[in-house]
C-alpha cells in the first residue's frame, strides 16, 4: 500500500479488442484509472461495458491489446492472472454468494484459502466488514435467508475481505428491488469516499453524479465519450451520449 | 419522527376440515358407479389381507429361515470365528458414535440409521440357535454393546471436541481395510478364506465396497468428463458410455471370466475381489452421470465469483462446485446406492453366495422336502424383509439429509 507513484495509473488498458466468434465486442478500448479514482461506466445494453470490466480480472479473455493492473501485465500465465485477481475485488449483478456457506464462511473463505490467514484473523476481519456494511447480526445465516440488498452487501464485504486495491462493480443494483437499491449505493458511496479505486458499471446516474470522478460512456464496444460528471451531464459532446441521457434522465 | 402507520388486521383462514362421513361420501360414494367400485375393491382387499395373514400364521416353513439364520447371515464363516464379524461391526459403531458427537447434524442422522440397522440385525441375531463352539455374543448382548459404543462415542467426542477430528478422519480411512483384516485374518488371526464368506455379510461387503470405492471414482469421472483436456474427456466419455451400455450381469461375467484370462496372474485374484471390481466399475459410471447432472446445475456465476476471489481451479472445484453439486444429487445418489445394494444379489450368477444365494441353498436343503409346498415362500419373505430394512433405512437417511439441506437454505 505504498503511496509512491500515486500518479501512476493503477489500471492501464491499451487498445483492448475482444471478439465472440465474429462479433467484435470490444473495439480498441483504452482507459487509464488512477489510484483512488472512481470511474463509472455507462451505456446502452450490449455496449460491451460488462465485458470490458470483466477483462480486467480475466473473467473474459481479451484477444488484442494490453491490460496492466497494479504493475502486473495480464498474460496467459495463470500466476499473473491469480496475482491480479488477488488485488481486484468484484461484485456481480446476481450477487453470486455461495449458497452452501454461511455469510461468515462466504467472507472468510478466500482470506483463509488464498491469503492463508488463520480462521481467527479472517473472522475478526469479517465481523469488522459486516459491521461496516451494517449486517453484523446476520453473520451465521445462509445467503438464502437474506434479502437481495443484504446479499449484495455481503458480496461487497466478501470482496473487501481480500483487501483488494481495486473494486469492480458489474451492475450491482440492477437485480435489486427498488427499495433496496439505496442501502447498497450507500455502502458503495462510503467505500468511494474512503479512497478505494472503483470501476462501476451502473445505470444509477445519481450515484455517478454524486461520487464518481469520471464517467465513461460506451456504445457498440467503443468508448464514445469520457469526462467529469459535470461535463458529462451538462455538456455532452457526442450525439449518442445525448440520446442516451435524454432517454434515462 | 414516529408517525403512526395503521396496519391492516389479519383474519384467520376459513376452516377446511370436513368430517369423516362427509369425506367418505365425497370421495368413495359420490356416484352409483363409485359405490360399486368401492364395494368391490373393499371385498378384494379384505379377502387378500385375511388370506395372507392366515397363511402367515399357519405357514409351516418359517423355521427354515430361523433355524438357518447363521447361514443367512454369515453362510459358511467358521462358527468358532463368529466373534470377528461382531468385532468388525463394533468397530464401525465406535467410529459412528464419535463422528455423531463431533459433527452432529447430518452425520448424526447417518449414525442413527446405522444404529437402527444394528438393532434390527442384533434382533435377528438374537435368534441364533446354539451352535457348537460358537464364540459370538448373544444377539441381545451384542445389541446392547452396540448401543453403548454409539452413545459412549457420541458423548466422548462431545467432551473432547475438535481434538479427535484428525484421528477420527484417519481412523475412518483405515476402517475399511481394518474390517477386511478382521474378517479375513492374517497377522495373528487365523485366515478365513473369502470362499467361506457369504450371506448377509457378503452382501454388505459387496455393497459397502461398491459404494465406498465407486464414489471417488465416479466423482473423478464426472469431473473428467467436464475437463478441458480432450484426452481425459474422451476417455471418460468412452468409459461411461461403454459401461452404461451393458447390463451388470455382463460386467460381472467379464470380471469373473475374462479378467483372469487377460490379466497376467488373473486367475489368482480372489473371486470376491473380482466381483467388487466389477460392481465398482459398473456403479462408478452411473454415479459419474448423476454427479455430472449436479455439476451442470451449478450456475456459472458461482465459478466466476470463486475465481474472482483468487481461488484456483482445484479450490473452486473442491470448495464451491463439488459440495453444491453433491448436495443437489443426494437423493439420486442414495437411490443409486439402494439399487446397488439390491443389485449385488446378481453375484449368485458367478458363484458367490450372498443373502439371496444363502436363501436359495436353504430352500433346497433335504430336510424341508417333507414340508407341503416347500419353504421357499417363507424364506424369501424373510430375506425380502432384511433387504427392505436396509433399503428403507437408507431412504430415510436420504430424506433427513434433504430436509436438513432445505432448512439451511431458507
Amino acid at each position: 500500500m505504498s503511496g509512491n507513484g500515486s500518479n501512476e495509473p493503477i489500471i492501464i488498458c491499451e487498445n483492448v479488442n475482444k471478439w465472440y466468434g465474429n462479433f467484435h465486442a470490444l473495439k480498441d478500448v483504452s482507459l487509464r484509472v488512477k489510484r483512488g479514482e472512481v470511474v463509472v461506466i455507462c451505456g446502452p445494453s450490449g455496449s460491451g461495458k460488462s465485458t470490458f470490466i470483466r477483462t480486467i480480472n480475466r473473467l473474459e479473455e481479451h484477444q488484442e491489446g494490453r491490460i496492466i493492473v497494479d504493475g502486473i501485465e495480464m498474460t496467459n500465465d495463470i500466476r499473473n492472472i491469480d496475482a491480479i485477481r488477488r488485488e481486484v475485488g468484484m461484485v456481480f449483478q446476481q450477487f453470486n454468494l455461495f449458497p452452501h456457506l454461511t455469510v461468515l464462511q462466504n467472507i472468510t473463505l478466500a482470506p483463509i484459502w488464498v491469503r492463508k490467514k488463520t480462521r481467527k484473523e479472517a473472522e475478526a476481519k469479517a465481523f469488522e466488514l459486516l459491521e461496516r456494511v451494517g449486517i453484523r447480526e446476520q453473520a451465521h445465516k445462509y445467503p438464502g435467508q437474506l434479502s437481495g440488498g443484504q446479499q449484495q452487501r455481503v458480496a461487497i464485504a466478501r470482496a473487501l475481505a481480500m483487501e483488494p486495491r481495486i473494486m469492480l462493480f458489474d451492475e450491482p443494483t440492477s437485480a435489486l428491488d427498488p427499495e433496496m437499491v439505496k442501502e447498497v449505493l450507500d455502502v458503495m458511496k462510503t467505500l468511494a469516499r474512503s479512497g478505494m479505486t472503483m470501476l462501476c458499471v451502473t445505470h444509477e446516474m445519481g450515484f455517478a453524479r454524486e461520487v464518481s470522478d469520471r464517467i465513461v460512456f460506451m456504445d457498440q464496444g467503443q468508448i464514445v465519450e469520457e469526462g467529469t460528471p459535470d461535463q458529462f451531464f451538462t455538456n455532452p459532446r457526442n450525439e449518442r451520449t445525448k440520446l442516451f441521457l435524454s432517454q434515462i434522465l | 419522527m414516529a408517525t403512526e402507520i395503521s396496519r391492516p388486521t389479519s383474519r384467520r383462514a376459513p376452516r377446511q376440515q370436513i368430517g369423516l362421513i362427509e369425506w367418505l361420501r365425497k370421495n368413495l360414494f359420490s356416484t352409483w358407479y363409485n359405490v360399486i367400485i368401492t364395494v368391490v375393491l373393499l371385498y378384494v382387499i379384505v379377502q387378500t389381507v385375511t388370506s395372507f395373514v392366515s397363511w402367515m400364521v399357519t405357514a409351516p416353513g418359517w423355521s427354515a429361515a430361523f433355524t438357518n439364520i447363521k447361514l443367512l447371515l454369515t453362510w459358511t464363516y467358521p462358527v468358532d470365528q463368529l466373534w470377528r464379524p461382531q468385532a468388525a461391526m463394533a468397530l464401525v459403531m465406535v467410529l459412528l458414535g464419535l463422528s455423531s458427537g463431533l459433527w452432529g447434524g447430518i452425520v448424526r442422522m447417518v449414525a442413527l440409521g446405522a444404529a437402527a440397522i444394528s438393532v434390527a440385525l442384533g434382533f435377528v441375531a438374537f435368534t441364533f440357535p446354539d451352535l457348537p463352539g460358537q464364540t459370538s455374543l448373544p444377539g441381545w448382548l451384542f445389541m446392547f454393546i452396540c448401543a453403548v459404543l454409539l452413545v459412549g462415542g457420541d458423548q466422548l467426542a462431545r467432551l473432547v471436541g475438535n481434538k479427535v477430528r484428525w484421528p477420527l478422519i484417519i481412523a475412518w480411512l483405515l476402517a475399511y481395510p481394518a474390517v477386511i483384516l478382521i474378517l479375513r485374518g492374517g497377522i495373528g488371526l487365523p485366515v478365513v478364506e473369502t470362499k467361506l464368506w457369504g450371506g448377509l455379510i457378503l452382501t454388505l461387503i459387496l455393497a459397502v465396497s461398491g459404494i465406498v470405492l465407486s464414489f471417488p471414482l465416479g466423482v473423478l469421472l464426472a469431473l473428467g468428463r467436464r475437463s478441458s483436456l480432450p484426452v481425459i474427456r474422451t476417455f471418460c466419455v468412452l468409459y461411461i458410455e461403454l459401461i452404461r451400455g451393458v447390463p451388470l450381469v455382463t460386467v460381472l461375467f467379464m470380471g469373473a471370466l475374462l479378467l483372469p484370462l487377460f490379466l497376467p496372474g488373473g486367475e489368482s485374484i480372489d473371486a470376491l475381489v473380482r466381483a467388487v471390481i466389477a460392481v465398482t466399475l459398473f456403479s462408478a459410471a452411473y454415479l459419474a452421470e448423476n454427479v455430472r447432472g449436479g455439476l451442470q446445475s451449478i450456475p456459472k456465476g458461482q465459478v466466476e465469483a470463486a475465481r474472482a476471489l483468487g481461488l484456483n481451479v482445484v479450490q473452486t472445484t473442491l470448495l464451491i462446485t463439488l459440495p453444491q453439486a453433491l448436495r443437489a444429487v443426494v437423493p439420486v445418489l442414495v437411490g443409486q446406492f439402494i439399487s446397488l445394494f439390491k443389485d449385488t444379489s446378481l453375484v449368485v450368477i458367478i458363484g458367490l453366495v450372498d443373502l439371496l444365494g444363502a436363501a436359495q441353498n436353504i430352500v433346497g436343503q433335504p430336510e424341508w422336502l417333507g414340508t407341503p409346498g416347500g419353504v421357499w415362500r417363507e424364506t424369501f419373505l424373510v430375506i425380502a424383509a432384511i433387504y427392505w430394512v436396509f433399503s428403507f433405512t437408507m431412504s430415510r437417511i436420504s430424506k433427513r439429509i434433504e430436509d436438513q439441506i432445505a432448512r439451511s437454505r431458507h
Side-chain angles (χ1 to χ4, degrees), chain A residues 73-92:
Chain A
E73 172 148 17
M74 183 78 75
T75 59
N76 281 325
D77 189 339
I78 191 75
R79 278 167 305 182
N80 277 4
I81 296 172
D82 282 342
I84 290 175
R85 282 176 176 158
R86 282 195 289 271
E87 304 305 327
V88 180
M90 186 156 197
V91 176
F92 299 86

PDB file of all heavy atoms in Angstrom, chain A residues 73-92:
ATOM      1  N   GLU A  73       1.219  -7.245 -15.786  1.00  0.00           N
ATOM      2  CA  GLU A  73       0.584  -7.341 -17.095  1.00  0.00           C
ATOM      3  C   GLU A  73      -0.208  -8.631 -17.195  1.00  0.00           C
ATOM      4  O   GLU A  73       0.254  -9.709 -16.802  1.00  0.00           O
ATOM      5  CB  GLU A  73       1.628  -7.276 -18.215  1.00  0.00           C
ATOM      6  CG  GLU A  73       0.990  -7.584 -19.572  1.00  0.00           C
ATOM      7  CD  GLU A  73       1.627  -6.842 -20.714  1.00  0.00           C
ATOM      8  OE1 GLU A  73       2.747  -6.348 -20.539  1.00  0.00           O
ATOM      9  OE2 GLU A  73       0.995  -6.768 -21.791  1.00  0.00           O
ATOM     10  N   MET A  74      -1.446  -8.504 -17.707  1.00  0.00           N
ATOM     11  CA  MET A  74      -2.306  -9.675 -17.883  1.00  0.00           C
ATOM     12  C   MET A  74      -1.811 -10.490 -19.065  1.00  0.00           C
ATOM     13  O   MET A  74      -1.828 -10.030 -20.204  1.00  0.00           O
ATOM     14  CB  MET A  74      -3.735  -9.203 -18.154  1.00  0.00           C
ATOM     15  CG  MET A  74      -4.735 -10.314 -18.294  1.00  0.00           C
ATOM     16  SD  MET A  74      -5.215 -10.985 -16.707  1.00  0.00           S
ATOM     17  CE  MET A  74      -6.284  -9.691 -16.121  1.00  0.00           C
ATOM     18  N   THR A  75      -1.294 -11.690 -18.781  1.00  0.00           N
ATOM     19  CA  THR A  75      -0.884 -12.582 -19.860  1.00  0.00           C
ATOM     20  C   THR A  75      -1.631 -13.882 -19.660  1.00  0.00           C
ATOM     21  O   THR A  75      -2.487 -13.991 -18.790  1.00  0.00           O
ATOM     22  CB  THR A  75       0.628 -12.857 -19.784  1.00  0.00           C
ATOM     23  OG1 THR A  75       0.895 -13.453 -18.511  1.00  0.00           O
ATOM     24  CG2 THR A  75       1.429 -11.579 -19.949  1.00  0.00           C
ATOM     25  N   ASN A  76      -1.288 -14.894 -20.472  1.00  0.00           N
ATOM     26  CA  ASN A  76      -1.945 -16.178 -20.278  1.00  0.00           C
ATOM     27  C   ASN A  76      -1.357 -16.944 -19.102  1.00  0.00           C
ATOM     28  O   ASN A  76      -1.841 -18.010 -18.754  1.00  0.00           O
ATOM     29  CB  ASN A  76      -1.858 -17.011 -21.555  1.00  0.00           C
ATOM     30  CG  ASN A  76      -2.889 -16.545 -22.560  1.00  0.00           C
ATOM     31  OD1 ASN A  76      -3.986 -16.141 -22.182  1.00  0.00           O
ATOM     32  ND2 ASN A  76      -2.531 -16.568 -23.831  1.00  0.00           N
ATOM     33  N   ASP A  77      -0.306 -16.403 -18.516  1.00  0.00           N
ATOM     34  CA  ASP A  77       0.310 -17.056 -17.369  1.00  0.00           C
ATOM     35  C   ASP A  77      -0.659 -17.036 -16.194  1.00  0.00           C
ATOM     36  O   ASP A  77      -1.047 -15.976 -15.704  1.00  0.00           O
ATOM     37  CB  ASP A  77       1.600 -16.319 -17.000  1.00  0.00           C
ATOM     38  CG  ASP A  77       2.403 -17.088 -15.960  1.00  0.00           C
ATOM     39  OD1 ASP A  77       1.792 -17.924 -15.258  1.00  0.00           O
ATOM     40  OD2 ASP A  77       3.614 -16.860 -15.860  1.00  0.00           O
ATOM     41  N   ILE A  78      -1.042 -18.224 -15.737  1.00  0.00           N
ATOM     42  CA  ILE A  78      -2.059 -18.325 -14.699  1.00  0.00           C
ATOM     43  C   ILE A  78      -1.596 -17.653 -13.404  1.00  0.00           C
ATOM     44  O   ILE A  78      -2.402 -17.142 -12.630  1.00  0.00           O
ATOM     45  CB  ILE A  78      -2.452 -19.815 -14.465  1.00  0.00           C
ATOM     46  CG1 ILE A  78      -3.698 -19.927 -13.585  1.00  0.00           C
ATOM     47  CG2 ILE A  78      -1.318 -20.592 -13.864  1.00  0.00           C
ATOM     48  CD1 ILE A  78      -4.977 -19.594 -14.288  1.00  0.00           C
ATOM     49  N   ARG A  79      -0.269 -17.593 -13.188  1.00  0.00           N
ATOM     50  CA  ARG A  79       0.228 -16.963 -11.960  1.00  0.00           C
ATOM     51  C   ARG A  79      -0.035 -15.461 -11.980  1.00  0.00           C
ATOM     52  O   ARG A  79      -0.379 -14.858 -10.979  1.00  0.00           O
ATOM     53  CB  ARG A  79       1.728 -17.235 -11.794  1.00  0.00           C
ATOM     54  CG  ARG A  79       2.001 -18.600 -11.185  1.00  0.00           C
ATOM     55  CD  ARG A  79       3.449 -18.952 -11.327  1.00  0.00           C
ATOM     56  NE  ARG A  79       3.856 -18.869 -12.749  1.00  0.00           N
ATOM     57  CZ  ARG A  79       5.061 -19.164 -13.192  1.00  0.00           C
ATOM     58  NH1 ARG A  79       6.001 -19.520 -12.349  1.00  0.00           N
ATOM     59  NH2 ARG A  79       5.344 -19.100 -14.475  1.00  0.00           N
ATOM     60  N   ASN A  80       0.126 -14.849 -13.181  1.00  0.00           N
ATOM     61  CA  ASN A  80      -0.190 -13.424 -13.304  1.00  0.00           C
ATOM     62  C   ASN A  80      -1.669 -13.177 -13.074  1.00  0.00           C
ATOM     63  O   ASN A  80      -2.054 -12.229 -12.404  1.00  0.00           O
ATOM     64  CB  ASN A  80       0.167 -12.921 -14.710  1.00  0.00           C
ATOM     65  CG  ASN A  80       1.634 -12.574 -14.797  1.00  0.00           C
ATOM     66  OD1 ASN A  80       2.361 -12.783 -13.831  1.00  0.00           O
ATOM     67  ND2 ASN A  80       2.051 -12.056 -15.924  1.00  0.00           N
ATOM     68  N   ILE A  81      -2.489 -14.052 -13.669  1.00  0.00           N
ATOM     69  CA  ILE A  81      -3.933 -13.879 -13.539  1.00  0.00           C
ATOM     70  C   ILE A  81      -4.331 -13.979 -12.070  1.00  0.00           C
ATOM     71  O   ILE A  81      -5.063 -13.149 -11.551  1.00  0.00           O
ATOM     72  CB  ILE A  81      -4.681 -14.935 -14.378  1.00  0.00           C
ATOM     73  CG1 ILE A  81      -4.367 -14.737 -15.862  1.00  0.00           C
ATOM     74  CG2 ILE A  81      -6.171 -14.852 -14.138  1.00  0.00           C
ATOM     75  CD1 ILE A  81      -4.899 -15.816 -16.755  1.00  0.00           C
ATOM     76  N   ASP A  82      -3.803 -15.004 -11.372  1.00  0.00           N
ATOM     77  CA  ASP A  82      -4.146 -15.163  -9.963  1.00  0.00           C
ATOM     78  C   ASP A  82      -3.648 -13.987  -9.134  1.00  0.00           C
ATOM     79  O   ASP A  82      -4.325 -13.541  -8.212  1.00  0.00           O
ATOM     80  CB  ASP A  82      -3.575 -16.483  -9.420  1.00  0.00           C
ATOM     81  CG  ASP A  82      -4.430 -17.668  -9.855  1.00  0.00           C
ATOM     82  OD1 ASP A  82      -5.586 -17.433 -10.256  1.00  0.00           O
ATOM     83  OD2 ASP A  82      -3.946 -18.807  -9.791  1.00  0.00           O
ATOM     84  N   ALA A  83      -2.458 -13.489  -9.474  1.00  0.00           N
ATOM     85  CA  ALA A  83      -1.906 -12.341  -8.734  1.00  0.00           C
ATOM     86  C   ALA A  83      -2.817 -11.136  -8.895  1.00  0.00           C
ATOM     87  O   ALA A  83      -3.088 -10.413  -7.933  1.00  0.00           O
ATOM     88  CB  ALA A  83      -0.505 -12.020  -9.239  1.00  0.00           C
ATOM     89  N   ILE A  84      -3.313 -10.912 -10.118  1.00  0.00           N
ATOM     90  CA  ILE A  84      -4.208  -9.775 -10.354  1.00  0.00           C
ATOM     91  C   ILE A  84      -5.525  -9.979  -9.620  1.00  0.00           C
ATOM     92  O   ILE A  84      -6.038  -9.070  -8.975  1.00  0.00           O
ATOM     93  CB  ILE A  84      -4.439  -9.581 -11.869  1.00  0.00           C
ATOM     94  CG1 ILE A  84      -3.158  -9.062 -12.514  1.00  0.00           C
ATOM     95  CG2 ILE A  84      -5.609  -8.635 -12.126  1.00  0.00           C
ATOM     96  CD1 ILE A  84      -3.206  -8.948 -14.011  1.00  0.00           C
ATOM     97  N   ARG A  85      -6.051 -11.221  -9.676  1.00  0.00           N
ATOM     98  CA  ARG A  85      -7.343 -11.466  -9.031  1.00  0.00           C
ATOM     99  C   ARG A  85      -7.290 -11.235  -7.530  1.00  0.00           C
ATOM    100  O   ARG A  85      -8.295 -10.884  -6.915  1.00  0.00           O
ATOM    101  CB  ARG A  85      -7.819 -12.888  -9.332  1.00  0.00           C
ATOM    102  CG  ARG A  85      -8.401 -12.998 -10.721  1.00  0.00           C
ATOM    103  CD  ARG A  85      -8.772 -14.414 -11.056  1.00  0.00           C
ATOM    104  NE  ARG A  85      -9.422 -14.477 -12.355  1.00  0.00           N
ATOM    105  CZ  ARG A  85      -9.486 -15.585 -13.091  1.00  0.00           C
ATOM    106  NH1 ARG A  85      -8.946 -16.702 -12.644  1.00  0.00           N
ATOM    107  NH2 ARG A  85     -10.099 -15.574 -14.249  1.00  0.00           N
ATOM    108  N   ARG A  86      -6.103 -11.456  -6.950  1.00  0.00           N
ATOM    109  CA  ARG A  86      -5.982 -11.210  -5.507  1.00  0.00           C
ATOM    110  C   ARG A  86      -6.090  -9.726  -5.181  1.00  0.00           C
ATOM    111  O   ARG A  86      -6.490  -9.358  -4.090  1.00  0.00           O
ATOM    112  CB  ARG A  86      -4.646 -11.763  -4.988  1.00  0.00           C
ATOM    113  CG  ARG A  86      -4.651 -13.268  -4.804  1.00  0.00           C
ATOM    114  CD  ARG A  86      -3.467 -13.720  -3.954  1.00  0.00           C
ATOM    115  NE  ARG A  86      -2.202 -13.601  -4.684  1.00  0.00           N
ATOM    116  CZ  ARG A  86      -1.702 -14.564  -5.450  1.00  0.00           C
ATOM    117  NH1 ARG A  86      -2.336 -15.707  -5.570  1.00  0.00           N
ATOM    118  NH2 ARG A  86      -0.568 -14.396  -6.081  1.00  0.00           N
ATOM    119  N   GLU A  87      -5.734  -8.881  -6.150  1.00  0.00           N
ATOM    120  CA  GLU A  87      -5.738  -7.434  -5.900  1.00  0.00           C
ATOM    121  C   GLU A  87      -7.032  -6.770  -6.332  1.00  0.00           C
ATOM    122  O   GLU A  87      -7.251  -5.597  -6.071  1.00  0.00           O
ATOM    123  CB  GLU A  87      -4.567  -6.759  -6.653  1.00  0.00           C
ATOM    124  CG  GLU A  87      -3.207  -7.321  -6.341  1.00  0.00           C
ATOM    125  CD  GLU A  87      -2.908  -7.317  -4.859  1.00  0.00           C
ATOM    126  OE1 GLU A  87      -3.376  -6.400  -4.165  1.00  0.00           O
ATOM    127  OE2 GLU A  87      -2.245  -8.259  -4.385  1.00  0.00           O
ATOM    128  N   VAL A  88      -7.862  -7.515  -7.077  1.00  0.00           N
ATOM    129  CA  VAL A  88      -9.066  -6.930  -7.649  1.00  0.00           C
ATOM    130  C   VAL A  88     -10.295  -7.626  -7.085  1.00  0.00           C
ATOM    131  O   VAL A  88     -10.447  -8.833  -7.243  1.00  0.00           O
ATOM    132  CB  VAL A  88      -9.052  -7.079  -9.187  1.00  0.00           C
ATOM    133  CG1 VAL A  88     -10.311  -6.472  -9.787  1.00  0.00           C
ATOM    134  CG2 VAL A  88      -7.820  -6.410  -9.778  1.00  0.00           C
ATOM    135  N   GLY A  89     -11.157  -6.874  -6.407  1.00  0.00           N
ATOM    136  CA  GLY A  89     -12.398  -7.454  -5.909  1.00  0.00           C
ATOM    137  C   GLY A  89     -13.503  -7.221  -6.918  1.00  0.00           C
ATOM    138  O   GLY A  89     -13.468  -6.259  -7.679  1.00  0.00           O
ATOM    139  N   MET A  90     -14.482  -8.137  -6.933  1.00  0.00           N
ATOM    140  CA  MET A  90     -15.563  -7.939  -7.898  1.00  0.00           C
ATOM    141  C   MET A  90     -16.921  -8.189  -7.248  1.00  0.00           C
ATOM    142  O   MET A  90     -17.080  -9.099  -6.442  1.00  0.00           O
ATOM    143  CB  MET A  90     -15.392  -8.879  -9.082  1.00  0.00           C
ATOM    144  CG  MET A  90     -16.411  -8.614 -10.174  1.00  0.00           C
ATOM    145  SD  MET A  90     -15.823  -9.180 -11.757  1.00  0.00           S
ATOM    146  CE  MET A  90     -16.895  -8.320 -12.869  1.00  0.00           C
ATOM    147  N   VAL A  91     -17.886  -7.354  -7.618  1.00  0.00           N
ATOM    148  CA  VAL A  91     -19.260  -7.506  -7.147  1.00  0.00           C
ATOM    149  C   VAL A  91     -20.147  -7.685  -8.369  1.00  0.00           C
ATOM    150  O   VAL A  91     -20.038  -6.915  -9.333  1.00  0.00           O
ATOM    151  CB  VAL A  91     -19.705  -6.272  -6.328  1.00  0.00           C
ATOM    152  CG1 VAL A  91     -21.166  -6.385  -5.932  1.00  0.00           C
ATOM    153  CG2 VAL A  91     -18.823  -6.120  -5.098  1.00  0.00           C
ATOM    154  N   PHE A  92     -20.990  -8.721  -8.334  1.00  0.00           N
ATOM    155  CA  PHE A  92     -21.754  -9.097  -9.518  1.00  0.00           C
ATOM    156  C   PHE A  92     -23.207  -8.636  -9.431  1.00  0.00           C
ATOM    157  O   PHE A  92     -23.745  -8.426  -8.343  1.00  0.00           O
ATOM    158  CB  PHE A  92     -21.752 -10.617  -9.682  1.00  0.00           C
ATOM    159  CG  PHE A  92     -20.393 -11.213  -9.854  1.00  0.00           C
ATOM    160  CD1 PHE A  92     -19.625 -11.542  -8.746  1.00  0.00           C
ATOM    161  CD2 PHE A  92     -19.873 -11.457 -11.118  1.00  0.00           C
ATOM    162  CE1 PHE A  92     -18.369 -12.092  -8.896  1.00  0.00           C
ATOM    163  CE2 PHE A  92     -18.622 -12.020 -11.271  1.00  0.00           C
ATOM    164  CZ  PHE A  92     -17.863 -12.332 -10.163  1.00  0.00           C
TER     165      PHE A  92
END
